[in-house]
Amino acid sequence: MFNKKPRRNFRQRKDNSSDEEDERKTRGHGVETEEAPVAVNKPEKLSQGRGITCSSKREATPPKPGSSSGEDGDTVEVTEEGEEINKDRDQVQNTTNSILSFSDDKEAKEPTFKLKKSSDKAVLFQVKKKEASPAKTKQRRGKTQTQSSLMLKRSRQLDGSVAPTEPRKNSFPWVETATAQLRRIEFAPRLKSIRERIADKLGDSDDSLSGSDVDEQDLWEETQIEKGVKRRPGEQSPSGTFPAVSVSMVKKRITGKLESLKEVHSARQAELRRMEGDVENARASAETLEESSSERQLRFYRDTNLYVHNVVECLREKVVEINSVELDLHSLLSDHMEALLAQRRQRTREQADRLQQISYGTNEQGGSPTNGTETQSGADSGVKAEEDFDLPEDTQPSAEEEEQLQKKIADILLRSQAVFSDVQDDFSSVKKILSRFEEWRGSYSDSYHNAYISLCLPKLLNPIIRHQLLPWNPLKSDSGDFENFPWFSAVETFCHGHGHEELENTDRQTLSNVIEKTVIPKLTGYVELVWDPMSRQQSVCVSDVCHRLKEDYSIFEGEQSKPVKAFREAVISKLRSCVDDDVFIPLYPKTFLEDSSSPQCRFRDQQFWTAIKLLGNMGKWDLLLPESVLKELMLDKLLNRYLLTALCSQTLSNRAVHACRKIADSLPLSWFKGENSCLPQLQNFRNHLVQKAHSICKQQPPEEPNTKSAVVEVLKILSSIRCNDSIMAISEKYRYEDVIYSHQLLNHEDV
């Protein structure tokens, strides 16, 4: 049925086959790098090639040898990866030698059946294939099956021209050939094309693989592919069909990746900022540790020690000059006051001696005292009338003496300004000195308090403060206040802060200690050398300063320091000497005292009111001096010894009541606070007032308005010294009960 062609056509078809293979080789190089594409083209005209052809038509003119390559049957192009081709370059090519095709001929009107077989009369030898290693065998078999299944799948997708009724497998005769494994060795071997190598590999793989080796081969292929290609979890294997990728999916993945990178970037920036903050904190800590190191502390202590040593040395030299200037000023004022006191005492002594001679000398001679009295009265015609007589004026120097005094004071103060002229402000300014100690207190508080600096500062600042207080005269109101000097504001700021702040570790007692060691000694010096207890102005000024020190700085409260004790002793000593040396009330015959115009009466009244003035000056020291000492000086010595004696010699009641009112007003109110009875030292004074009330009522009828008004004045004096029983007795005797309630003589709540 199938006629074999002559042998001579074998070599001829070999050449043609070689040309056809060369052309296919040339076309195959262009698609080496793709994934085994399969192109199936349905031939328009079947050319006569290798194999046996059966047709109902008469065979046409044989085609030219060179035309078989262009008009050959179905063409299959299968490319493997370049890596697989290089590995199998030296293997034997297996091609299909016979193709069974059932296809329609486009030119024929009726279906044809063609069976192609090779026309080449080649001698075929079955060559025993070299035994490959088990791994290679598995690899070849697995790859052959994979390529076969892939090409079948692709060919079914691309074959759209095949009739639905024809079996689809008949359109790919090479598939059947690949499974039949035919092998051929040619006598004239040549270089094989890529297609031949692929086909040869497929054939070898089918021969060598069988059974369970396929699974191992697949596992090995998957492992090798995973090594070469990075896959994400969940993605399909590269050997399978890739999912469809759209622009939105790519954009979404890029956007997600960008957001992830942004988050990472922001996290890195936050970490960078944190690290920069840590670096700054570490640098600050290092600087703090460096600054607070023991070396810096030691350097500060050395500098402070040197500074204090220099200040002490400077003040040690300047204190001599300060003492000299201060002594000159106090000596000048003391000499001036001693001169005034001496003049006043001399005048009093001379006048007392003269009046004594006049009063008692004329009586002894038997002459009438009228002439002498008239003469003296004419000489003293400028003296105030009896009713207008009040406390005498303070002893004042003349205008010339005052001018000379102020000139000398100015010279001393000008000389004092040169004391610190050659000293820097760091060693002469209280503010600059305290700033050093304030720095010490702020930096090293423990060592500052352990060194008892608050106790050392008053002594250290004493020369400078004394130098600033040289112009201040506590006995004069026009000299200003000590709180207006620069040193006071500096010390106050150091102790209490700047007003709007409250310092924790402040030296609140430093200001009081400074005042005790500077202002109080200044007051003591003026009291001892300059103060005149008889002077109303000086007593008021110095006592007001002391009361302010007591209220604002608690100087005279609690346990007394040495400067305060010295000051008190100086005041008491000066008051005691004044009572003993300056109080003098002469006694004259009654005939002279009854005449208010007589010089004896006027001199006696002058001395009497001077003693009352001193009593009032003593009362200014209430709460500053011990109460017992003050009562002794005011009541026992001055009132009971001098004033009551003079009161008993008063003949006119109006003068006596006025004097008693002045005495009662001079007594401190603190003595009678909470008291309902008269003080023991005031019993004589109370008796004198009661006797005076009875004498007034005896001289005039009690119903008289003048009598009643005079008695009411006496009752008011008794009420001020808490003589309630005497008030009740007088009011009951003379029917003055209404006066008690109208004037609230027994109500002492306001006192």
Side-chain angles (χ1 to χ4, degrees), residues 48 76 108 130 275 280 320 329 338 353 494 509 543 612 640 647 668:
Q48 184 178 359
V76 179
K130 294 182 180 180
M275 295 176 66
E280 291 297 330
V320 179
L329 181 61
E338 288 292 339
D353 293 342
F494 176 80
Q509 296 299 324
S543 63
I612 293 177
N640 294 330
L647 285 174

Side-chain angles (χ1 to χ4, degrees), residues 483 511-512 546-555:
E483 297 176 348
L511 182 59
S512 299
C546 294
H547 279 291
R548 189 165 64 253
L549 293 177
K550 177 180 181 298
E551 294 174 359
D552 297 342
Y553 309 104
S554 305
I555 298 298

Side-chain angles (χ1 to χ4, degrees), residues 575-590:
L575 291 176
R576 195 181 300 275
S577 64
C578 184
V579 172
D580 295 338
D581 300 338
D582 293 335
V583 176
F584 171 69
I585 301 177
L587 296 176
Y588 294 107
K590 188 177 182 180

Side-chain angles (χ1 to χ4, degrees), residues 26-60:
T26 304
R27 292 200 307 265
H29 282 303
V31 293
E32 269 184 7
T33 60
E34 299 186 6
E35 286 185 345
V38 180
V40 181
N41 299 324
K42 186 175 181 181
E44 296 180 358
K45 184 177 181 181
L46 296 174
S47 61
Q48 184 178 359
R50 287 174 289 182
I52 302 174
T53 302
C54 297
S55 177
S56 60
K57 290 185 179 183
R58 189 171 299 189
E59 184 176 355

Side-chain angles (χ1 to χ4, degrees), residues 271-302:
E271 185 177 3
L272 178 61
R273 288 191 297 269
R274 182 184 60 79
M275 295 176 66
E276 290 177 353
D278 294 342
V279 171
E280 291 297 330
N281 293 336
R283 184 181 294 109
S285 300
E287 293 177 358
T288 303
L289 292 175
E290 182 179 358
E291 291 178 357
S292 61
S293 61
S294 58
E295 182 179 357
R296 180 178 179 274
Q297 187 174 2
L298 179 61
R299 184 170 62 253
F300 174 80
Y301 287 148
R302 288 177 177 175

Side-chain angles (χ1 to χ4, degrees), residues 151 263 539 548 733:
M151 285 185 289
E263 292 179 359
S539 299
R548 189 165 64 253
K733 183 177 181 180

